[in-house]
PDB file of all heavy atoms in Angstrom:
ATOM      1  N   LYS A  52      10.012  12.190  13.492  1.00 97.00           N
ATOM      2  CA  LYS A  52       8.761  11.431  13.369  1.00 97.00           C
ATOM      3  C   LYS A  52       7.636  12.285  12.790  1.00 97.00           C
ATOM      4  O   LYS A  52       6.956  11.889  11.842  1.00 97.00           O
ATOM      5  CB  LYS A  52       8.336  10.851  14.732  1.00 97.00           C
ATOM      6  CG  LYS A  52       9.378   9.971  15.380  1.00 97.00           C
ATOM      7  CD  LYS A  52       8.897   9.368  16.693  1.00 97.00           C
ATOM      8  CE  LYS A  52       8.557  10.359  17.781  1.00 97.00           C
ATOM      9  NZ  LYS A  52       9.720  11.163  18.248  1.00 97.00           N
ATOM     10  N   SER A  53       7.450  13.476  13.390  1.00 97.00           N
ATOM     11  CA  SER A  53       6.384  14.352  12.882  1.00 97.00           C
ATOM     12  C   SER A  53       6.699  14.826  11.471  1.00 97.00           C
ATOM     13  O   SER A  53       5.792  15.009  10.651  1.00 97.00           O
ATOM     14  CB  SER A  53       6.194  15.571  13.792  1.00 97.00           C
ATOM     15  OG  SER A  53       5.664  15.167  15.028  1.00 97.00           O
ATOM     16  N   GLN A  97      -0.291  15.642  15.892  1.00 92.00           N
ATOM     17  CA  GLN A  97       0.245  15.575  17.252  1.00 92.00           C
ATOM     18  C   GLN A  97      -0.327  16.730  18.085  1.00 92.00           C
ATOM     19  O   GLN A  97      -0.663  16.547  19.249  1.00 92.00           O
ATOM     20  CB  GLN A  97       1.782  15.662  17.207  1.00 92.00           C
ATOM     21  CG  GLN A  97       2.417  15.586  18.581  1.00 92.00           C
ATOM     22  CD  GLN A  97       3.942  15.531  18.536  1.00 92.00           C
ATOM     23  OE1 GLN A  97       4.548  15.546  17.471  1.00 92.00           O
ATOM     24  NE2 GLN A  97       4.547  15.457  19.706  1.00 92.00           N
ATOM     25  N   ASP A 182      -0.020  10.717  14.478  1.00 96.00           N
ATOM     26  CA  ASP A 182       1.171  11.296  15.099  1.00 96.00           C
ATOM     27  C   ASP A 182       0.944  11.469  16.597  1.00 96.00           C
ATOM     28  O   ASP A 182       0.283  12.405  17.032  1.00 96.00           O
ATOM     29  CB  ASP A 182       1.503  12.636  14.433  1.00 96.00           C
ATOM     30  CG  ASP A 182       2.882  13.149  14.838  1.00 96.00           C
ATOM     31  OD1 ASP A 182       3.551  12.480  15.653  1.00 96.00           O
ATOM     32  OD2 ASP A 182       3.285  14.215  14.333  1.00 96.00           O
ATOM     33  N   GLU A 183       1.494  10.552  17.344  1.00 96.00           N
ATOM     34  CA  GLU A 183       1.381  10.549  18.806  1.00 96.00           C
ATOM     35  C   GLU A 183      -0.055  10.747  19.298  1.00 96.00           C
ATOM     36  O   GLU A 183      -0.334  11.704  20.032  1.00 96.00           O
ATOM     37  CB  GLU A 183       2.322  11.602  19.433  1.00 96.00           C
ATOM     38  CG  GLU A 183       3.781  11.315  19.118  1.00 96.00           C
ATOM     39  CD  GLU A 183       4.758  11.962  20.101  1.00 96.00           C
ATOM     40  OE1 GLU A 183       4.343  12.293  21.228  1.00 96.00           O
ATOM     41  OE2 GLU A 183       5.934  12.105  19.743  1.00 96.00           O
ATOM     42  N   VAL A 213       2.741   6.736  15.003  1.00 97.00           N
ATOM     43  CA  VAL A 213       3.931   7.391  15.541  1.00 97.00           C
ATOM     44  C   VAL A 213       3.769   7.532  17.043  1.00 97.00           C
ATOM     45  O   VAL A 213       2.753   8.047  17.514  1.00 97.00           O
ATOM     46  CB  VAL A 213       4.102   8.793  14.915  1.00 97.00           C
ATOM     47  CG1 VAL A 213       5.244   9.545  15.597  1.00 97.00           C
ATOM     48  CG2 VAL A 213       4.340   8.688  13.419  1.00 97.00           C
TER      49      VAL A 213
HETATM   50 MG1   MG B 312       6.591  14.800  16.837  1.00 56.45          MG
END
Side-chain angles (χ1 to χ4, degrees):
K52 303 183 298 296
S53 292
Q97 181 174 0
D182 192 358
E183 298 202 21
V213 173

